[in-house]
Amino acid sequence: MTTEQVCAVLPEGHPLAGRAELTLADLANEAWVMTPRSSWEPWHRAYQDQFREAGFVPNVVQEEAGVQSLLGLVAAGLGVTRLACSAASLRRTGVVFVPLTGAYAYTEMVWLSGNTAPALHRLLDVVTDLAATTDLTSTG
């Protein structure tokens, strides 16, 4: 349905915060705050592979389940994280979002084949329209 750039989320004032773009390898020596592996196994499996390809295992110093909590931990200087760039609309102070080269988040929908419920088809129409016309990275 949609594809979105993933950003490194850094505390304001971080030495890398002024860069236009980062690679995951640029963050190899950072402390990380992330969601617990149990929160979404496929996501963590993909991230583990991406960290390995970048040549490191992240030093995870804190785990929190919610995006708002992760943003608060980054703002407090506990570590860095990576989130879809649209998460920038959730917090405007204390953190800086820097796009990660070649990193994207994909949003997809699935449903049971043969489902003819009118509500499902209306939902698909609305979501498809929103995905095509909404800038997820805008704030406000």
Side-chain angles (χ1 to χ4, degrees):
M1 306 231 68
T2 65
T3 301
E4 180 183 352
Q5 179 84 40
V6 171
C7 285
V9 186
L10 312 169
E12 284 181 344
H14 188 283
L16 299 174
R19 300 262 302 266
E21 197 167 57
L22 294 169
T23 66
L24 200 51
D26 292 330
L27 304 170
N29 296 319
E30 300 293 333
W32 283 79
V33 295
M34 297 179 70
T35 57
R37 187 172 188 89
S38 61
S39 67
W40 186 247
E41 183 68 28
W43 180 83
H44 280 275
R45 200 169 30 251
Y47 274 18
Q48 181 180 5
D49 292 344
Q50 293 164 5
F51 286 126
R52 187 173 38 252
E53 289 170 11
F56 72 101
V57 174
N59 173 27
V60 179
V61 296
Q62 181 78 34
E63 293 181 334
E64 286 295 332
V67 171
Q68 290 283 17
S69 296
L70 291 173
L71 292 171
L73 291 171
V74 172
L78 269 70
V80 302
T81 197
R82 57 187 276 176
L83 295 169
C85 293
S86 62
S89 67
L90 300 175
R91 184 176 187 105
R92 296 188 178 116
T93 60
V95 296
V96 175
F97 283 71
V98 180
L100 283 170
T101 303
Y104 297 94
Y106 305 96
T107 302
E108 299 174 344
M109 287 185 61
V110 295
W111 58 92
L112 295 173
S113 62
N115 186 335
T116 59
L120 170 64
H121 294 285
R122 180 66 186 129
L123 174 65
L124 290 171
D125 290 343
V126 169
V127 170
T128 301
D129 182 55
L130 286 172
T133 60
T134 304
D135 177 5
L136 296 175
T137 62
S138 67
T139 58

